[in-house]
Amino acid sequence: MNYKISLAHGSGGGKSRELIENIFKKYFSNPVLDRMDDAGVLKLNGKNLAFTTDSFVVKPIFFEGGDIGKLAVSGTVNDLAVMGAKPAALTAAFIIEEGFEIEKLERIIKSMKETADEAGVIIAAGDTKVVEKGSTDGIFINTSGIGVIPEEIKTGGAMAKSGDVIIVSGCIGNHGASIITSREDLGFKTFVRSDVSPLNGLIESMLEVVPEIHVMRDATRGGLATVLNEIAIQSEVKIEVLEEKIPIQEEVKGVCGLLGLDPLYLANEGRIAIFVKEEDTQKLLDVMREHKYGREASVIGNVVDNTKEPVVILKTAGSGGRILDMLSGEPLPRIC
Ligand code: MG
């Protein structure tokens, strides 16, 4: 690979995957990492531990519905929770630019504490580095997290099966649209509220009712379209989703229309895609809709077949359907 890193390599889409396959896995490859799930699962002293990390570089750091701190805690909690783990503790590492206001830092830390309390996790360790003015942009945060997966829970990106019903936990695209409308240079006067939220409470109540959920994945960078493709590849299946069943708020459609973006590729920070057996679908929907983060849970499609040529088809009312690819390029850098 005789070329340089571009913003697309950080998109969470096709280019990110290329970098992982060609560089990171070339050296780091091992059975835990190679599963390519939201968290690595380690067996230690007879217990299954989920372990994950994520860095946050969102711009702006304060946006409608959240901030970089709420994002940093929610993102890592959600990557543990979608593996079926009960998140226990996080680390928090800060890279801060010289001159950054202490008042802003305190707002971020307070927000992290409130989100951690809601999720029932502690910050167990931390680190701070300060770099010279101009060496970074304000503040970047990394969080790592650890949690225990109960013995009876088995879920993962490779477990989608023919006949599975696909659910999304709520309206998609809000986080991406929130960041866009919060960027001053774009001149939006009304703001979309981000969906950023810790989902471990919702997921715990789901697993209580349906312990056998085949796949759960938070639809973050690359959006719903990209995570459906990831799951299709991991599970070697063909997926069909119905466009009119995918819940999207009018204001999100409006923002996308103005900028020529597709809400299916916008980031979410509090939404999951779920693959479950057909007979469990209704009880799962019922319990989800009782939770504040699952009120708009909707069935959007299903797994139609096992295949060596994984594909996601978007069906529309008027037409047969088209292939829905994973995100290519990077339309919106620094979304999380
Ligand atoms: Mg994830």
Side-chain angles (χ1 to χ4, degrees):
M1 287 172 85
N2 188 22
Y3 60 98
K4 293 180 179 177
I5 289 286
S6 69
L7 285 168
H9 287 113
S11 66
K15 281 281 176 195
S16 299
R17 242 190 126 75
E18 219 178 272
L19 197 62
I20 292 168
E21 294 295 335
N22 295 336
I23 302 290
F24 294 125
K25 275 173 74 173
K26 183 171 162 187
Y27 297 96
F28 293 161
S29 175
N30 65 67
V32 176
L33 185 70
D34 293 354
R35 276 180 58 178
M36 297 276 283
D37 273 327
D38 291 278
V41 179
L42 303 163
K43 199 151 190 116
L44 286 181
N45 288 341
K47 287 212 183 303
N48 284 320
L49 292 182
F51 186 36
T52 192
T53 190
D54 215 329
S55 297
F56 297 86
V57 298
V58 67
K59 181 173 148 184
I61 53 177
F62 300 102
F63 49 85
E64 190 71 14
D67 55 72
I68 191 171
K70 185 175 185 182
L71 199 56
V73 172
S74 300
T76 293
V77 161
N78 293 346
D79 276 341
L80 295 172
V82 293
M83 294 306 295
K86 287 183 199 301
L90 307 187
T91 65
F94 302 87
I95 296 168
I96 310 173
E97 183 184 13
E98 177 189 16
F100 190 73
E101 294 95 325
I102 294 278
E103 178 267 329
K104 284 186 183 166
L105 178 64
E106 188 166 351
R107 269 171 74 192
I108 293 165
I109 301 303
K110 182 165 178 276
S111 172
M112 290 179 80
K113 164 68 174 159
E114 285 165 2
T115 313
D117 283 351
E118 181 184 350
V121 296
I122 59 164
I123 308 297
D127 178 56
T128 307
K129 297 285 191 297
V130 178
V131 295
E132 305 92 323
K133 197 158 189 57
S135 296
T136 188
D137 184 11
I139 185 168
F140 296 160
I141 303 177
N142 172 275
T143 52
S144 296
I146 193 162
V148 176
I149 305 174
E151 192 58 48
E152 67 277 14
I153 303 298
K154 297 201 169 39
T155 186
M159 293 180 70
K161 288 175 184 63
S162 181
D164 278 358
V165 170
I166 306 169
I167 297 172
V168 288
S169 62
C171 290
I172 60 146
N174 284 64
H175 178 71
S178 168
I179 299 302
I180 294 165
T181 56
S182 299
R183 284 189 181 158
E184 280 173 17
D185 50 337
L186 292 175
F188 279 89
K189 293 200 171 59
T190 52
F191 302 103
V192 175
R193 197 174 167 77
S194 169
D195 50 75
V196 58
S197 41
L199 298 177
N200 56 320
L202 169 68
I203 290 172
E204 220 170 288
S205 64
M206 288 160 53
L207 287 170
E208 254 165 47
V209 183
V210 182
E212 194 190 338
I213 298 176
H214 291 159
V215 186
M216 295 184 278
R217 178 150 301 169
D218 52 342
T220 52
R221 275 179 313 171
L224 181 66
T226 299
V227 301
L228 292 176
N229 273 282
E230 289 171 4
I231 294 162
I233 292 167
Q234 278 181 275
S235 294
E236 298 189 327
V237 291
K238 177 182 179 183
I239 288 171
E240 280 183 7
V241 289
L242 299 167
E243 188 167 39
E244 64 266 31
K245 298 282 184 194
I246 300 172
I248 305 169
Q249 286 176 0
E250 284 308 318
E251 55 208 305
V252 172
K253 287 183 188 166
V255 169
C256 286
L258 276 173
L259 298 177
L261 296 167
D262 184 340
L264 299 180
Y265 293 94
L266 284 187
N268 309 272
E269 292 292 340
R271 296 290 181 258
I272 39 176
I274 299 143
F275 290 59
V276 68
K277 280 193 288 193
E278 188 173 13
E279 58 262 43
D280 290 331
T281 305
Q282 194 55 51
K283 45 180 182 181
L284 194 59
L285 281 173
D286 290 344
V287 70
M288 290 181 76
R289 286 172 181 160
E290 274 172 33
H291 196 282
K292 66 174 171 177
Y293 297 139
R295 292 248 157 77
E296 288 147 329
S298 311
V299 170
I300 59 164
N302 53 330
V303 178
V304 291
D305 223 340
N306 299 312
T307 172
K308 293 280 171 205
E309 284 159 32
V311 67
V312 181
I313 304 289
L314 180 71
K315 294 189 112 177
T316 43
S319 75
R322 63 177 172 92
I323 292 176
L324 189 66
D325 269 324
M326 81 168 42
L327 177 69
S328 66
E330 174 51 303
L332 291 168
R334 295 181 60 185
I335 205 85
C336 60

